[in-house]
Amino acid sequence: MPRSVNSVAKRARRKKVLKQAKGFFGRRKNVWTVAKNAVEKAMQYAYRDRKAKKRNFRALWIQRINAGARLEGMSYSKFIGAVKKNGIELNRKVLADLAMNHPEAFKAVVKKVK
C-alpha cells in the first residue's frame, strides 16, 4: 500500500507560519525555511520581552519617583521607606504618575511622610 501524506495539514501549518511572518523583510516573509526560523526567533523575543517589559516599567517608575522626591529634598529610598512606615498604600506606578502629571498631589504625599 502506498504511503499516505497529509498535505492538507502540512499546507495549513506552513500557511500559518507564513501568515505570522507577514511584514518581515525579504525572504523572511515568503520562503518557508527562512520564515520558519524567523518566526521561531520572533516568538522567543516576544516571550522574553514580555518579562523584560515589567522590569523596564518598574525601573522607569522608580526614576520618576526619585526625581520627584529629590525636588522635595528626599532620596528615593528614604521616601519609599517613609511611605511604607506611614501605611500609605500607593504603588510605584501610581506614585510615578503623581510625580509626573500631578506634582502638587505628589508634594502633598511627600509632606505627609516627612
Side-chain angles (χ1 to χ4, degrees):
M1 193 172 185
R3 188 170 71 98
S4 172
V5 183
N6 190 355
S7 294
V8 176
K10 181 178 174 182
R11 190 177 318 111
R13 202 164 38 244
R14 291 185 176 199
K15 203 170 159 186
K16 185 176 79 174
V17 170
L18 288 170
K19 186 178 179 187
Q20 288 177 309
K22 185 178 165 213
F24 289 9
F25 183 81
R27 291 190 308 165
R28 293 164 67 95
K29 72 172 166 281
N30 52 20
V31 175
W32 160 245
T33 51
V34 182
K36 182 172 69 82
N37 291 335
V39 166
E40 280 177 4
K41 192 66 167 177
M43 295 290 201
Q44 287 174 345
Y45 284 141
Y47 177 81
R48 179 196 70 188
D49 290 338
R50 280 196 298 275
K51 313 286 179 250
K53 184 177 173 185
K54 294 163 183 60
R55 296 193 292 266
N56 291 338
F57 268 103
R58 185 182 170 96
L60 177 67
W61 298 332
I62 288 170
Q63 288 170 1
R64 287 178 175 175
I65 294 167
N66 190 22
R70 287 194 186 271
L71 288 175
E72 305 303 318
M74 283 183 97
S75 70
Y76 168 79
S77 61
K78 286 201 173 75
F79 173 70
I80 289 294
V83 165
K84 299 291 182 201
K85 197 165 69 180
N86 284 296
I88 297 171
E89 292 191 17
L90 294 175
N91 61 18
R92 285 169 180 79
K93 182 179 180 180
V94 172
L95 286 170
D97 183 56
L98 290 176
M100 188 82 174
N101 301 319
H102 309 285
E104 63 286 336
F106 187 75
K107 199 177 285 188
V109 173
V110 174
K111 203 170 284 179
K112 179 138 174 50
V113 301
K114 269 189 175 176

